[in-house]
Amino acid sequence: MVTKLPSSSEPRPDGEALGCDTSDLIQVHRIFRWLYRELPGLIRSVDDGDVSRAAIVADYASMDFYGLHLHHETEDLVLWDRLVDRSPGCVPHVELMKAQHAEVAAELAKVEPLVEPWRANADAASRDLLATGVERIRDTLIVHLGREEEEIVPVAGAVLTQSEWDEMGEHARTGIQQSKGDMPRDVMAIQLGLMLATVPLDERPEWIKHNLPAPIRLLYALLLKRRYERAMDELYDGRPVPPIP
């Protein structure tokens, strides 16, 4: 993983104005809300003893847990110190974010060890214990994401430059690349597919045009879209995939 960034008291990039587009973070938050609302039901839908189905859902549970760890690590390493240096009045809000991250991390530490025993046996008791743990994470996370959007995102959008903000995305992409071997085989397709799922259908062509480089657009059209749809079909066992609200 990348190392912690130096203080933002260093000079800003030459000629770059303060102010950045934070809409990608709102998209990521929408994905996390959806993932953690959906995951308990997916776990509970696995029949007692169905180890094949449990293995599929367990893979996605582990991916969701890793994604949340990485998202919070990215903010801890890249965002908080820079935001406090640029806007000291934000200190109480940043401290709240750190405390909520610690709370989520503690809950993840209790839940993640439950995945492999359930994967191995798919027994109902392990299933329900895991689902209940995910529900606790969900409830904590929804409160945290709302507070972050209210108290952090507007300040970041005003006092950080676009290149500073974009470093968070770079950190997250690096983390995913380094952990691809431990993720479902189509993790990159899933990541991009979920991002696109947050964009209304009639706005997606324009979003793709402005946010994806031409090679990625081509790769998505030729390969990744199909892989994403196949992964979601597997996860939902052929049922319609609920939309991301």
Side-chain angles (χ1 to χ4, degrees):
M1 305 300 287
V2 301
T3 56
K4 198 171 189 296
L5 290 172
S7 166
S8 63
S9 59
E10 295 177 352
R12 295 191 297 274
D14 289 344
E16 189 171 9
L18 294 178
C20 58
D21 178 4
T22 59
S23 60
D24 57 341
L25 183 65
I26 302 301
Q27 287 178 277
V28 170
H29 282 189
R30 290 176 67 191
I31 292 169
F32 277 125
R33 287 187 178 99
W34 181 81
L35 289 173
Y36 281 86
R37 284 171 176 155
E38 287 292 308
L39 185 55
L42 288 167
I43 294 169
R44 293 187 192 280
S45 72
V46 178
D47 292 335
D48 188 11
D50 189 347
V51 292
S52 296
R53 179 67 184 157
I56 292 170
V57 179
D59 280 346
Y60 283 87
S62 295
M63 183 180 68
D64 293 351
F65 299 153
Y66 176 78
L68 187 52
H69 276 301
L70 179 61
H71 176 63
H72 282 180
E73 176 193 86
T74 297
E75 293 177 333
D76 291 341
L77 294 179
V78 181
L79 181 59
W80 303 142
D81 287 352
R82 181 170 277 159
L83 195 62
V84 166
D85 285 351
R86 197 67 52 77
S87 181
C90 204
V91 169
H93 304 311
V94 168
E95 291 304 313
L96 174 63
M97 295 299 104
K98 290 179 179 180
Q100 291 178 337
H101 280 195
E103 185 178 358
V104 170
E107 292 176 354
L108 283 166
K110 296 175 184 176
V111 170
E112 288 177 291
L114 304 177
V115 174
E116 292 310 311
W118 177 59
R119 182 200 298 273
N121 300 310
D123 62 288
S126 297
R127 174 197 66 202
D128 294 343
L129 190 63
L130 176 59
T132 298
V134 174
E135 288 165 347
R136 287 196 300 269
I137 296 171
R138 174 202 63 200
D139 294 344
T140 302
L141 184 63
I142 287 174
V143 172
H144 165 65
L145 297 178
R147 293 294 295 271
E148 186 171 300
E149 290 170 1
E150 292 173 4
E151 298 168 2
I152 296 294
V153 172
V155 178
V159 304
L160 301 182
T161 68
Q162 191 63 50
S163 65
E164 289 170 339
W165 181 261
D166 290 344
E167 287 172 14
M168 288 204 297
E170 290 299 323
H171 179 276
R173 284 188 287 273
T174 298
I176 291 172
Q177 285 288 347
Q178 291 177 347
S179 301
K180 279 179 67 176
D182 300 322
M183 296 287 105
R185 63 186 181 276
D186 292 328
V187 62
M188 301 303 291
I190 294 167
Q191 179 195 29
L192 181 54
L194 289 174
M195 285 294 286
L196 287 169
T198 69
V199 182
L201 269 173
D202 60 343
E203 298 175 16
R204 281 183 201 172
E206 194 68 16
W207 189 95
I208 290 172
K209 178 180 177 181
H210 286 285
N211 290 277
L212 300 182
I216 302 299
R217 294 200 299 268
L218 181 61
L219 184 63
Y220 181 76
L222 295 179
L223 181 64
L224 298 182
K225 182 176 185 291
R226 185 167 64 251
R227 287 186 173 180
Y228 168 72
E229 291 171 347
R230 183 180 63 201
M232 291 296 102
D233 185 67
E234 177 184 58
L235 179 61
Y236 282 90
D237 201 20
R239 294 177 285 116
V241 178
I244 298 178

